Amino acid sequence: WTRVGQKSFLAILLISNLGLSGLIAILILSNVSYTRHLAKKPAAALVQLTDGTSISVTETPNHEREPEVIRKFVTDSLIYLMNWSADLPSSEPTSKFDSMTTAPQDVGIDVDLEDGFTKKVTTPAWQASFTLEEEFRTEFLQKLATMTPEDIFAGQKEVVLKIREVGYPKPQADIPGAWGIDVVADLMVYSPQTPTGKAVPFNKRIYVQSIDVPPPPAPNTLTPLAAAIYAVRLSGLEITGMRDLQLQEFTE
């Protein structure tokens, strides 16, 4: 290489390096500009459903649930599980002033007990039991059947859950997507002997676990029972257990 050739090569290399650096600088500036544009763009916070309604959404991990969603799920589940009456909920309007119009009567659902006998639980309670984890559900239904008086189905007794306080869910450190939530309530037992109601304490710590939300099935493929089961699973939660709660635990 002559001295002139070396200088020419260095000059070409320097110019190429400067050109490449300029191109990289342009790409970086374009990326910064696009990022700033995206940052200023409003987030997609609404989802429109097939029926035309819009709902607000937020991005969260798959196993996370909002505290109010957990509280509502536990409240609704307990109300259906622990409210016992001879009258079934009816979609048709009924009038108490029309003797020809009566509410449908609940004949109950048979539950097999460990001793070989069977006892009944109310139909709404049986449907709501699908909010429970399957293994716990079998155990709970047996206990629920032994608790449900036969007078319920004869219309001689009615039990209403009166919730006094629902705590905020506390995450379980060792299980992701699991919470414990305290409920302070009374079971109000109404009968001809106690027309004003007799209160039985019902203070529980409920254990809840997140689950996958089932995909929506075709409406024309669902039986009324299947539709009820699907509805109680829509929250993406299930109850895995419950235990008696001491009031000092709730205050803590």
Side-chain angles (χ1 to χ4, degrees), residues 107-158:
V107 297
I109 302 292
D110 288 330
V111 175
D112 295 328
L113 304 181
E114 292 181 350
D115 55 9
F117 293 94
T118 60
K119 290 200 68 177
K120 292 180 181 291
V121 298
T122 63
T123 300
W126 184 80
Q127 292 179 350
S129 70
F130 288 96
T131 61
L132 311 177
E133 185 270 331
E134 190 57 35
E135 185 175 349
F136 175 61
R137 175 176 176 268
T138 301
E139 176 187 350
F140 184 85
L141 278 176
Q142 291 177 345
K143 291 184 178 180
L144 193 65
T146 59
M147 291 172 58
T148 305
E150 292 292 340
D151 294 345
I152 291 289
F153 304 101
Q156 297 299 312
K157 189 171 289 186
E158 184 174 2

Side-chain angles (χ1 to χ4, degrees), residues 12 97 144 162 205:
I12 293 172
F97 303 107
L144 193 65
K162 181 181 179 182
R205 174 162 292 172

